[in-house]
Amino acid sequence: MPNIKSAKKRVKVIAVKTAQNKAVKTNLKTVIKNAELALANNDANKAEAVKLAVKKIDQAAAKNILHKNCAARKKSHLASKLNAVG
């Protein structure tokens, strides 16, 4: 446990930021899963689901929650699956 006042504050701030990042990551995983399910089931709204997933991936990359190459890879996989389904 920290003894210095600024270190105590950093612990609190890091806890808040960790919670925010976790919320973004969890939402991102859900959106990607929904997009992949829409592609697997060949739903009518599959393009819209992929578009939303790409948007969320870009937002996570902008906040440095995802590495930019990881974000590009995830978007590429979704686009490939969308093109394969037709």
Side-chain angles (χ1 to χ4, degrees):
M1 217 34 221
N3 294 324
I4 298 170
K5 186 176 183 181
S6 61
K8 290 178 183 177
K9 180 179 178 181
R10 292 307 307 162
V11 169
K12 291 179 184 177
V13 169
I14 289 169
V16 169
K17 288 182 181 252
T18 301
Q20 290 171 341
N21 289 343
K22 186 174 181 181
V24 171
K25 278 186 182 180
T26 304
N27 186 25
L28 178 65
K29 288 178 188 177
T30 303
V31 170
I32 291 173
K33 185 178 77 173
N34 290 341
E36 289 180 348
L37 280 173
L39 289 169
N41 296 335
N42 203 8
D43 287 343
N45 64 344
K46 62 185 178 238
E48 188 175 320
V50 170
K51 185 177 177 184
L52 177 65
V54 167
K55 178 181 177 183
K56 292 292 183 181
I57 290 169
D58 284 337
Q59 288 175 343
K63 294 179 182 178
N64 288 326
I65 293 170
L66 280 182
H67 190 272
K68 65 177 185 172
N69 291 347
C70 179
R73 185 174 64 247
K74 287 180 184 295
K75 293 191 301 186
S76 176
H77 286 205
L78 285 174
S80 297
K81 288 179 184 178
L82 180 63
N83 290 336
V85 171

